[in-house]
Amino acid sequence: MPASLQDRLVVAISSRALFDFEDENRVFEAADDRAYMQLQQQRLDQPAPPGVAFSLVKKLLAFNAGAAPRVEVVILSRNDPMSGLRVFRSAAHYGLGIERGVFTRGQPPWRYLRPLGAHLFLSAHDGDVRPALAAGTPAARVYPHGARASQAHPDELRIAFDGDAVLFSDEAEQVFQREGLPAFQRHEQAKAATPLPPGPFKPLLDALHRLRAEPGPMRIRTALVTARGAPAHERAVRTLMDWQVEVDEALFLGGLPKGDFLREFEPDFFFDDQTGHVQGALSHVPAGHVAAGVANA
């Protein structure tokens, strides 16, 4: 039987999202890929420091302990194959069970997401994230200089999501952008019983819901962290109920800055479509920009 990833949660991640390659990346940007390749070869036996999404990947792979594999992490990188050797050696150094990788030497790697069946793609390259989203894969741009995840919850994977244009479609966000907050609130109150269409990260939420349903050594805790407030909160809750998926916490902040609340939740990663919210979170938690919806047109 050929190998298959069909029954696994599949995460594709770039090397700069998983490891801290910022020193090497400065060489690449200042010179050319030959100088970069030479530096990576010189450091082949030197494990790269953990990057901004390291905690997320480590905890996801922990779901495979003592059972049939339930999570697959694949390196999907613009690195060249030779530099990919250091990526794999670094992964092995930290005990990360990663065996698959795609290295394209500067060419867009996102086109391999479809055959992988990826539920998530994380990259520091915005030019790969946007077409991945357009092709239907949940994807976010990571910021390598952002805060690292807290180590306070070693046996619990924590992920926080924005609502509109992330878990949900941008239907309501379009009303807000076009007509303002009062019209948005009236619209959402009138449609409180009508589920919102799914957004780009609904497939990841579904995959996490299936993963948490099976007993294992790791737990999952999710949070909806949204600028919505009452009365617009009800449609969001009813939508999740209609989807028959759970979130453990819901923060309806009514426009308050999200960063301080995320610091208290301590997620391994936070996803938001608004760059302002992402920038406000970066000093507290790992965060990714979801370039979807009317705010990113």
Side-chain angles (χ1 to χ4, degrees), residues 58-281:
K58 183 178 180 180
K59 288 184 178 181
L60 280 168
L61 289 171
F63 281 91
N64 295 337
R70 301 159 67 193
V71 174
E72 183 77 19
V73 175
V74 181
I75 306 296
L76 198 60
S77 173
R78 285 176 175 256
N79 261 318
D80 62 281
M82 189 280 294
S83 299
L85 291 177
R86 188 178 179 212
V87 178
F88 274 120
R89 287 197 183 186
S90 296
H93 170 80
Y94 294 108
L96 302 180
I98 299 175
E99 64 174 281
R100 293 180 170 89
V102 175
F103 302 94
T104 62
R105 194 176 179 181
Q107 292 299 305
W110 64 267
R111 62 191 188 276
Y112 294 109
L113 291 166
R114 181 176 295 178
L116 285 171
H119 298 95
L120 177 64
F121 175 47
L122 297 177
S123 172
H125 198 283
D126 190 58
D128 289 331
V129 168
R130 288 179 182 267
L133 278 166
T137 298
R141 179 187 178 186
V142 306
Y143 295 82
H145 296 295
R148 300 314 192 240
S150 166
Q151 299 182 25
H153 310 281
D155 299 320
E156 190 170 70
L157 172 66
R158 294 187 162 216
I159 300 182
F161 300 92
D162 180 32
D164 297 289
V166 179
L167 289 184
F168 314 130
S169 80
D170 70 338
E171 173 198 301
E173 181 69 23
Q174 290 185 40
V175 175
F176 175 76
Q177 295 285 345
R178 186 174 61 247
E179 302 176 41
L181 180 59
F184 165 82
Q185 291 177 331
R186 290 193 300 270
H187 178 272
E188 291 304 278
Q189 193 169 15
K191 293 198 169 189
T194 304
L196 283 153
F201 271 61
K202 168 72 158 43
L204 176 60
L205 185 65
D206 287 338
L208 290 171
H209 184 74
R210 292 190 296 271
L211 188 62
R212 77 190 300 173
E214 302 178 29
M218 293 289 293
R219 301 183 303 275
I220 296 176
R221 190 165 187 85
T222 53
L224 170 65
V225 183
T226 173
R228 286 174 178 252
H233 72 294
E234 184 171 341
R235 192 180 186 195
V237 174
R238 285 180 174 271
T239 297
L240 294 170
M241 292 170 62
D242 182 78
W243 291 350
Q244 298 183 1
V245 296
E246 300 175 356
V247 294
D248 299 290
E249 301 189 23
L251 283 65
F252 298 104
L253 300 181
L256 289 174
K258 298 180 179 181
D260 289 342
F261 294 90
L262 290 163
R263 182 190 62 219
E264 299 304 320
F265 179 67
E266 298 180 308
D268 294 289
F269 226 85
F270 167 59
F271 299 102
D272 201 296
D273 70 303
Q274 304 267 354
T275 55
H277 292 317
V278 173
Q279 293 296 330

